[in-house]
Every structure is written in structure tokens, then in C-alpha cells.
Amino acid sequence: MLKINDLHVHYGGIHALNGITLEVPENKIVTLIGANGAGKSSTLKSIMGLAKTSHGTIQFNGEEITGKPTTHMVSQGLILVPEGRRIFSNLTVEENLFLGSYLRKDKAEINKDLNWVYELFPRLKERLWQMAGTLSGGEQQMLAVGRALMSKPKLLMMDEPSLGLAPLIVKDIFNIIKEIHRKGMTILLIEQNAKAALEAADYGYVLETGIITLEGPGKELLVNDQVQRAYLGDHK
Amino acid sequence: MSLQTFLQHLVNGISLGSLYALLAIGYTMVYGILRLINFAHGDIFMLATYIAFYSVTTFLLPWWAAFLIAIILTALLGIILERAAYRPLRSSPRISIMISAIGASFLIENLAIVIFGGRPKAFPIAPIFSKILVVGDVSISIVTVIIPIVTAIALFILNYIVNKTKTGMAMRAVSKDYDAAKLMGININYIISFTFGAGSALAAIGGILWGLKYPQLIPLMGIMPGLKCFIAAVIGGIGNIKGAVLGGFILGLGEIAIVASSPALSGYRDAFAFVLLIVILLFKPTGLMGKNSAEKV
């Protein structure tokens, strides 16, 4: 579904991505793990057209999308839940959700998706009229995911959805991710919480300072020595 | 002061406050989205009065058509201003875009002197606007009554657009977070153009009403009202539309109050705005309705 080939990204003088190649097949959860500053967010930003790609190609459903404006990516169903949630704190919860469906015209379908989001996150339904900025961190993450679902994603990308949340909420979030996936959603998940991410994922990539150093099915990476040492803490 | 004169002054104050409010909103809307003080806003206001003037005198249009054309053309000019002077600098340091705003202001003023001539022109006033209304002992010109009514209608429409429509929702989203707004599929350029168009249309309405009340046009007529309305926006809390309206009314009513209290003080009416600004900034640096927000980088 998504194919990235030899992607390079520069920020000023920094070479953030040094030629990464990865693929997200349909109906799978793929995860990209790595330490802070490895280039995980840069990857997502360049897919969305928020960061300039200096070299390489990004293909989505066979279409070359490298260098297209972000609006185009969104209209094609390429949706990102950004790092740090980035909800609109000055808008109500309901308005945030409506903005998710900004480009959509299919009213009946929008209402169906809205009900689905309420089903997934009953807490949001109780707080529709509240300003989004008054929600707790976990609720804000739920809103960010709900807002993304309102965009009718074909590929849902999540950047550190568990960042800064209490362990109990993290568990909730991962359950939601699995639940969304069961409905047939393709997901590209970026996480520092490598254990939870690899457990949920069908396939994983390990990113280190702008290059992919390891890849394989999630279950295999979980027991891989190198991954265990670097990201899971060696308990042997 | 008799009740009669008090009412007279009150009506005048409300009317002036309405004009300030119309102009102040343009400053606050642009600031809310671009974090930019659009110094050319007062000149946009001046252009609207000249467009209305030429539509009536040269093109012999009826007043309502002239006003409509002035509002539409001014909105377009606001959009062109943003495209030409601000958009190319959007990712530059904020100081560059501010200097560009000051440059645009000077350019428009001086172009206006060249094109329109420096000699004052008399704004053509249709007979229906020159009637005098007598209510009890108070006699007021009809324009003084029309101004607040038109302002109220314009504010109602703006409020509806900002709070109830999709575009308005997108405007508020863009003012919070560019990148997150892009991730919703919002076209930032369109929203910014729309904001400039709406702000300039309000300035045009203000300019036309201003012309009806103070019917003398000169190319530099936008400077003082522009400056004062910028102050009104800051007093109300820049970035906040309701604050801009409040600031506009405080300024208008305050100015009239000074003139009314003593004719000897009337020379200081312009100073009032600046003194008030200093006082407000001393005690409430974010303005009356402004929120303390971290600088967006």
C-alpha cells in the first residue's frame, strides 16, 4: 500500500534520514521503532509532505506522492496522528472531530464514522461541548485518534501515541489500535515503547540515526538479541 | 450637562466606537492567523472610501452599487496585498514580514497621493444619508444611527462565519496550529486569503461609513484611524475578535467623553488612545480579553 524507496531528508545541515526503504502492506500493522532523534517523526512528516524530501520516492497505492501538498495526502486517505496529539485546544471536542472530516462530502458516511468514534471512545461523547484543551492527556490522545478516524484513513499513521501517558492509558490506547486494525485498517505505528509496538505489529523496522538497521516480523524482532539489548532492556 | 446633550454624545460615541470596531477586527483577525500586524490595514480602509468615491462621481453608479463594489474590490485588494507582500515572506523571520507591512503601507499611501491627488475630496452623500432625525429634544444625523446598525449586522455575519461554518472552524484551527491544520486537509493559503478578504471587507464597510460621517477624503486619512484601531485591538487583547469590538467601543466612547467633558480638551482626543494603551499595557499586558499564550515559533 505504502512504498518508500531510498528516502533522504535534510533539515538545514542535518541529514535526518539517510536513505530508508520500507513497505506497509494492506491490512497490516507495521511499526517503526528507534530511539529519540533516529528519524522516526521525520519519516512520517516527509510522507505527509510536511518535511521536504531531498531524495527518494514515496508511493501510495501505486501513485507517486513525493512532493505533493499535504492536502493531497489527506484526500488520498493518508492520515497522521501527530506526535504530541496536536489537538485544537481552542475548539470543542466536537469541532475537532468535524475538522477530521474537513475534506469529506459524504454526510451519511461521516455520521457513521462519528458514531464509530463515539463507540470506541465513549469518554469523548460525554465531553463533546468541552474545549479540547481541558481534556486530560489520555483523552486528548483519544481525540487525536478519533479526529484521524473521521478523515476516513486508508493508512493510519501514528506518531508516539503512548508518549507521556500513564501505563493504564497506554494499554487502552494499544487495545484501541488493535480494535481499529481488526476493522481492516492498515496502520503504520511509530513508538518508543518498543515492546508494546512489536507485540501489536505484524512487521517491524528498527531505525537508527537515519538508517534502517533491522527488520522482520514483530514476533521475531521481540526475541532478537540486538533489539532486546537496545530497546527492551536485557533481562536474561 | 443636560440629559439631552448626554444622549447626543452617547449616540456619537457609539457610532464612532462602531467604526473603530469594524477596523480593529481586521487587525485582530490577521494577527490571530499570521501573528502579523498588518500596518497597511488603515490604507486598505482609505482605498475603500476612494473606490466608493470614484464609483459614484466618475462612474455615476447609484450609492448602493458603489458601496457594494467598494466592499468587493477592497476585499480583493486585501487578498492581493497578502499575496504580494506577506506570502513570499511567510517562512522568513517575523521582523521581515513586519517591515514588509510597513513598506506596503507607505507604498499604498504614496501611490494614492500620485493617483488620487493630495487635495481633499468631498465624499458624495446621497440625500437619504443627510437627513436629520429628531427624537424628543435630541437631533441626530441619520448616519449616526445607521453606523451602529450596519456594524451590528456585519458583526453578526462575521460571528456566524467564524463560529458556525466549516471555513470559520478551519480559521480557528489554523490560528492554533498550522501543521495540525494541514493534517486535516485544510488549505492554509485559502484560509489566510479568506481572512484577509473578510478583514478588508469589514474595513471597507468601516471606510464607507466613515466617509458618510466625515466626508473629507485624503490619501493619508487611513493612518490615524488605522493606528487607533490597532490600539483598540491591542486593548481588547489582540487575536480576539470580541476583544477588538470591545476595544473599539472603549476608544470611541472615551474619545467622545473627552471632547464632551471640556471643549478645551478636544485637541487631546487623539492622545487619549495612546494614553489608554499605555495604561492598559501596564496593568494587563495581554489586553482586556487576551489570553496569555506562549510565543509560537
Side-chain angles (χ1 to χ4, degrees):
Chain A
M1 186 172 231
L2 179 78
K3 279 187 188 153
I4 298 177
N5 194 23
D6 194 27
L7 184 70
H8 290 255
V9 171
H10 293 253
Y11 287 122
I14 303 160
H15 205 155
L17 290 183
N18 202 347
I20 70 164
T21 299
L22 65 81
E23 192 179 344
V24 183
E26 202 158 349
N27 293 331
K28 300 284 186 217
I29 300 185
V30 173
T31 185
L32 189 58
I33 60 173
N36 257 335
K40 302 185 305 277
S41 293
S42 301
T43 308
L44 293 191
K45 277 188 187 156
S46 59
I47 294 172
M48 287 308 290
L50 289 176
K52 227 180 130 212
T53 306
S54 32
H55 182 79
T57 58
I58 304 165
Q59 276 189 343
F60 184 59
N61 280 333
E63 184 203 1
E64 167 88 39
I65 55 165
T66 329
K68 294 250 170 80
T70 309
T71 315
H72 179 78
M73 318 298 185
V74 176
S75 70
Q76 294 305 304
L78 207 51
I79 307 297
L80 171 65
V81 182
E83 182 181 358
R85 321 184 236 290
R86 305 286 278 271
I87 51 145
F88 302 109
S89 55
N90 57 334
L91 271 62
T92 65
V93 170
E94 192 182 36
E95 286 174 329
N96 268 276
L97 291 174
F98 275 135
L99 273 179
S101 60
Y102 184 76
L103 287 179
R104 295 172 63 184
K105 303 261 186 288
D106 47 345
K107 259 216 158 110
E109 287 289 306
I110 291 176
N111 275 326
K112 235 169 84 185
D113 284 348
L114 196 60
N115 283 324
W116 180 39
V117 170
Y118 291 160
E119 221 175 275
L120 282 173
F121 308 110
R123 290 267 274 290
L124 293 183
K125 199 180 177 182
E126 292 162 18
R127 286 156 209 265
L128 281 185
W129 305 106
Q130 232 168 288
M131 285 292 154
T134 64
L135 299 180
S136 72
E139 288 164 346
Q140 290 191 9
Q141 185 62 57
M142 290 171 188
L143 179 57
V145 175
R147 185 179 67 176
L149 291 177
M150 291 302 293
S151 309
K152 206 181 180 101
K154 289 193 183 107
L155 169 61
L156 183 65
M157 301 186 284
M158 293 193 229
D159 195 350
E160 309 260 14
S162 73
L163 192 72
L165 298 180
L168 217 61
I169 316 254
V170 172
K171 222 176 129 194
D172 278 352
I173 295 282
F174 273 94
N175 281 334
I176 295 285
I177 293 171
K178 285 176 203 158
E179 167 77 28
I180 296 169
H181 176 241
R182 260 198 296 280
K183 293 254 181 177
M185 187 76 71
T186 315
I187 294 172
L188 174 57
L189 177 64
I190 283 196
E191 261 301 336
Q192 282 198 29
N193 188 339
K195 185 165 180 287
L198 288 172
E199 275 171 2
D202 297 297
Y203 201 82
Y205 293 87
V206 179
L207 192 62
E208 274 171 28
T209 55
I211 42 175
I212 285 171
T213 53
L214 202 63
E215 61 177 283
K219 303 275 178 305
E220 280 178 27
L221 287 183
L222 261 179
V223 294
N224 179 292
D225 277 352
Q226 190 191 335
V227 173
Q228 290 226 325
R229 263 197 310 277
Y231 302 104
L232 303 175
D234 197 2
H235 296 303
K236 282 176 192 167
Chain B
M1 192 189 298
S2 67
L3 181 68
Q4 172 194 344
T5 24
F6 175 76
L7 286 176
Q8 195 113 34
H9 287 309
L10 185 67
V11 175
N12 276 328
I14 289 173
S15 170
L16 185 62
S18 308
L19 291 173
Y20 285 161
L22 283 173
L23 202 49
I25 288 172
Y27 281 101
T28 230
M29 278 178 33
V30 165
Y31 183 85
I33 289 207
L34 283 183
R35 301 293 183 271
L36 158 77
I37 309 298
N38 177 14
F39 284 106
H41 193 58
D43 305 304
I44 290 281
F45 156 92
M46 172 274 294
L47 287 176
T49 61
Y50 272 97
I51 294 170
F53 170 83
Y54 283 110
S55 303
V56 172
T57 56
T58 307
F59 297 100
L60 303 171
L61 293 172
W63 62 268
W64 55 269
F67 292 177
L68 204 63
I69 284 174
I71 293 169
I72 293 167
L73 283 183
T74 309
L76 280 176
L77 284 172
I79 293 168
I80 293 169
L81 169 73
E82 188 269 327
R83 290 253 163 135
Y86 305 147
R87 189 169 300 180
L89 293 169
R90 201 176 295 155
S91 48
S92 324
R94 191 111 31 98
I95 193 79
S96 315
I97 192 165
M98 197 151 129
I99 291 166
S100 182
I102 296 171
S105 168
F106 285 159
L107 179 72
I108 295 173
E109 282 159 17
N110 290 292
L111 268 183
I113 295 177
V114 173
I115 296 170
F116 306 139
R119 205 176 298 149
K121 292 185 162 43
F123 196 75
I125 296 179
I128 49 165
F129 295 116
S130 49
K131 280 190 196 127
I132 302 285
L133 223 66
V134 182
V135 186
D137 292 332
V138 187
S139 64
I140 37 182
S141 73
I142 192 127
V143 174
T144 313
V145 182
I146 288 175
I147 288 173
I149 294 172
V150 173
T151 303
I153 295 169
L155 292 186
F156 178 80
I157 295 172
L158 178 73
N159 188 52
Y160 180 82
I161 291 174
V162 171
N163 289 312
K164 300 277 184 257
T165 66
K166 217 167 159 176
T167 307
M169 226 194 295
M171 278 169 78
R172 284 180 286 145
V174 171
S175 79
K176 193 75 204 168
D177 189 335
Y178 272 30
D179 276 354
K182 280 189 196 162
L183 290 175
M184 304 295 108
I186 294 170
N187 181 340
I188 305 276
N189 285 336
Y190 168 75
I191 295 298
I192 290 174
S193 290
F194 183 87
T195 306
F196 270 84
S200 303
L202 288 174
I205 296 172
I208 292 163
L209 295 172
W210 186 282
L212 290 172
K213 195 166 163 63
Y214 310 103
Q216 192 196 43
L217 309 191
I218 51 167
L220 302 184
M221 65 183 284
I223 298 178
M224 215 14 141
L227 215 50
K228 282 188 196 164
C229 293
F230 166 52
I231 291 175
V234 173
I235 287 174
I238 194 144
N240 182 320
I241 292 179
K242 289 189 183 91
V245 175
L246 178 71
F249 276 101
I250 290 176
L251 224 56
L253 286 165
E255 241 183 84
I256 298 291
I258 287 205
V259 177
S261 64
S262 152
L265 285 175
S266 64
Y268 291 100
R269 60 185 294 177
D270 289 345
F272 169 74
F274 300 96
V275 172
L276 188 65
L277 176 70
I278 292 167
V279 172
I280 298 257
L281 288 184
L282 277 177
F283 293 103
K284 211 155 182 320
T286 55
L288 294 173
M289 297 177 80
K291 277 190 213 95
N292 222 338
S293 66
E295 187 85 333
K296 203 163 100 172
V297 195

